Amino acid sequence: MGDIENAEDTSPPVLERARLGTLTRISAGGQGVTYDAPGVQLGFAPRAVYKEYRPEVLASVDADALRALPRFLAQQPGATALRLVTASAWPCATVSDGARTVGFVMPHIPDRFYIDMTTVRGSQRRTAEFQHLLNDDDYLRQRGIPLSDADRYRLIAAVAEQLSFLHSIGVVVGDMSPKNMMFSLTPDAAVYFIDADAMRVRGATVAPQVESPGWAIPGGEELGTAATDSYKLGLLALRLLAGDQDTRDPARLPAGTPAGVVALVSQALSAAPSGRPAPSAWGPVALAAARQAATVPRGLQVPPASPLSPKPPQRGAEPAATGPAPGPTGAASRVGGPQYPAFTPRTATPAGPRVPAGAVLAGAVVVIVAVIGIAIAMTSAGGGSTASPTNYAYPSTTTHGYGTTYPTTPRTTTTTTTTTTTTAARTSENPPEKTTWCDDLRLYSVNSVTSCGFARNVYLAVDKSELPMRYTGITSPARSDRTFDMFCRYTSSTSSLVTCTGGDDAAVYIF
């Protein structure tokens, strides 16, 4: 099983299938069926889902390795655990049916990783799989996916950043393909991995490593290593930039691709694993390319044919409908080119998760400890009344990793009278001179001794409604040997600028 069991023993819950609530099927795949699990509440996600392995698959599942995945999560420092469950559908507890382990619960895919896609049946809500992006510009236009070259480079950087993080804690994706990776472009470029139970953790694997068709590594190489992830990162970058589902030829990169990107793609596709660049090498190069790249979709200023001609089906959706491209929905029209529907999440959500101190769910108090908490609301067989909950908590610390202490026993629910007060509107304020903006949306900036990777983690941790607040256990991509504490407050009583200080003279400014 590798070294995943050798760390300090902790005991995440094993849940009985009958106590997951009324299961509603979401989807089915080759390994199993996924259901909504209304009887499970996760402290860091609004919904939990349950994956149940098919009976024929269970024979090849290493139950010990599966049970070790929630334990691995529980052993991580608070900020690391939070990042892991917000970057992937990580198993949080295993599920048993009698004496058999039959599956696990995990967070539902966050809302920001869905898109509204134009299909033959009109606009359809779909998971934002990377495979949709690996097509030509006509396909993207017909599907209503406005993707610029700057977006492509930012997505490459986001994938590289998450791979670098996963590798730093001993996790390898292995079967990395555009169907098990979701993307988001709002409020910034981000990636979310599903099928986390197929990942290799400290050498252990739940089932034999496999590869998706078209994403195989060179023959004879061991599957599920950091080197294979590096190869597939190069392949993803090539196909994303080329708009091609199948190419492996770096010569297919568009004219004008920066030399640094061309070099990384070529090196990543090397048959020699030792010659492939680590994911950490991609970020600076891809972000530099994004700053120089076009910020509107390719060909936007070229009038399209009308109506759009039929195209052969491409992988990622149904055959395209014929007819003119749909007009914008809720967005300002772009003059002089194809019109795209608005590309926004279904509901406005914060850039990162906000962990509540406690919540009341159908009479059951949800208790959260050390970021990752699970409460089971025990329902009757008919899905009726709710009995007292069983509360489980990972015992790594008494805080959620960002400085707020949570109770280890249910709190008494009381009725209170709320008085509404009016707070004066805050005014915008610029950060101090000699700071560096970290993102194109100008959401946060840093001083000269602070990295943008660390600033992003601070930005994700901060909840402006709870300021002032000290956030503990924040990780930095540049320092895997320690975590940092940051004290965040509004710069003044009337300013909208948040100043966070701490660490080694670090300063992060959030807008």
Side-chain angles (χ1 to χ4, degrees):
M1 277 194 56
D3 297 328
I4 191 170
E5 292 281 9
N6 296 340
E8 180 184 354
D9 182 45
T10 55
S11 300
V14 176
L15 312 179
E16 286 292 336
R17 186 184 190 279
R19 299 173 64 200
L20 302 182
T22 302
L23 299 178
T24 303
R25 176 170 165 159
I26 300 174
S27 62
Q31 283 196 328
V33 181
T34 303
Y35 302 89
D36 262 318
V40 182
Q41 284 294 299
L42 304 176
F44 51 88
R47 292 169 61 192
V49 297
Y50 161 53
K51 177 177 177 178
E52 181 170 277
Y53 291 108
R54 298 185 185 278
E56 63 271 21
V57 173
L58 276 175
S60 62
V61 168
D62 185 330
D64 289 335
L66 179 61
R67 287 189 290 267
L69 294 180
R71 186 176 301 116
F72 173 81
L73 175 64
Q75 292 162 351
Q76 303 307 309
T80 302
L82 182 60
R83 181 169 180 180
L84 183 57
V85 294
T86 53
S88 65
W90 194 267
C92 300
T94 53
V95 175
S96 64
D97 188 5
R100 294 189 310 154
T101 297
V102 293
F104 61 91
V105 295
M106 57 186 170
H108 189 275
I109 297 173
D111 193 68
R112 68 181 295 202
F113 295 100
Y114 284 79
I115 56 173
D116 294 314
M117 179 179 292
T118 304
T119 71
V120 293
R121 293 188 293 272
S123 181
Q124 300 283 320
R125 192 72 176 171
R126 299 288 178 83
T127 50
E129 298 173 3
F130 261 82
Q131 67 166 339
H132 298 311
L133 305 182
L134 309 187
N135 291 302
D136 63 31
D137 301 317
D138 285 345
Y139 175 91
L140 295 175
R141 183 174 67 251
Q142 291 183 11
R143 291 292 173 260
I145 304 176
L147 184 71
S148 70
D149 282 342
D151 293 331
R152 289 178 170 92
Y153 288 120
R154 281 192 287 266
L155 286 171
I156 292 169
V159 175
E161 180 187 2
Q162 293 295 13
L163 283 179
S164 184
F165 162 70
L166 291 172
H167 290 182
S168 74
I169 60 173
V171 177
V172 171
V173 175
D175 184 22
M176 183 174 155
S177 80
K179 281 190 66 66
N180 59 27
M181 298 167 57
M182 310 295 126
F183 71 90
S184 175
L185 294 171
T186 55
D188 53 7
V191 61
Y192 187 84
F193 291 94
I194 62 171
D195 294 341
D197 56 318
M199 295 182 181
R200 199 169 192 172
V201 183
R202 295 177 180 168
T205 183
V206 171
Q209 288 288 308
V210 297
E211 295 189 294
S212 296
W215 290 81
I217 58 174
E221 188 174 333
E222 181 184 2
L223 302 183
T225 68
T228 64
D229 280 1
S230 295
Y231 180 91
K232 293 176 184 181
L233 172 58
L235 199 58
L236 178 72
L238 168 62
R239 293 175 176 180
L240 180 61
L241 293 171
D244 188 312
Q245 293 270 1
D246 302 301
T247 185
R248 292 176 183 260
D249 183 3
R252 291 291 311 279
L253 286 168
T257 302
V261 175
V262 175
L264 285 173
V265 169
S266 300
Q267 293 163 12
L269 299 183
S270 168
S274 60
R276 299 169 193 159
S280 58
W282 285 82
V285 177
L287 290 176
R291 288 191 288 269
Q292 302 298 320
T295 58
V296 295
R298 296 171 184 170
L300 186 61
Q301 300 305 319
V302 178
S306 182
L308 293 174
S309 57
K311 292 177 60 64
Q314 300 193 49
R315 277 180 275 168
E318 302 94 345
T322 58
T329 57
S333 298
R334 298 181 175 95
V335 178
Q339 303 296 302
Y340 293 89
F343 183 43
T344 56
R346 178 167 27 183
T347 57
T349 56
R354 305 304 180 201
V355 184
V360 178
L361 171 69
V365 178
V366 179
V367 178
I368 304 163
V369 178
V371 178
I372 314 301
I374 299 180
I376 308 304
M378 296 181 293
T379 59
S380 65
S385 61
T386 302
S388 300
T390 300
N391 293 301
Y392 301 92
Y394 294 104
S396 59
T397 178
T398 58
T399 70
H400 71 12
Y402 293 135
T404 302
T405 302
Y406 293 105
T408 55
T409 56
R411 292 180 294 183
T412 301
T413 303
T414 59
T415 302
T416 59
T417 301
T418 302
T419 302
T420 302
T421 58
T422 302
T423 303
R426 294 183 178 273
T427 59
S428 60
E429 180 181 345
N430 291 325
E433 295 183 1
K434 298 182 179 179
T435 61
T436 301
W437 292 102
C438 287
D439 67 316
D440 291 340
L441 295 177
R442 300 173 81 86
L443 297 175
Y444 49 93
S445 64
V446 296
N447 66 357
S448 60
V449 300
T450 309
S451 71
C452 285
F454 176 72
R456 184 174 187 274
N457 291 344
V458 175
Y459 170 76
L460 290 175
V462 169
D463 183 344
K464 292 184 178 181
S465 68
E466 64 187 12
L467 299 180
M469 177 65 69
R470 181 177 300 279
Y471 297 91
T472 64
I474 300 178
T475 59
S476 170
R479 292 290 302 273
S480 59
D481 59 326
R482 58 172 292 192
T483 60
F484 300 86
D485 298 349
M486 296 291 284
F487 179 73
C488 300
R489 58 177 176 80
Y490 281 108
T491 305
S492 71
S493 60
T494 59
S495 174
S496 63
L497 176 66
V498 174
T499 299
C500 299
T501 55
D504 295 332
D505 298 321
V508 178
Y509 305 95
I510 299 172
F511 300 86

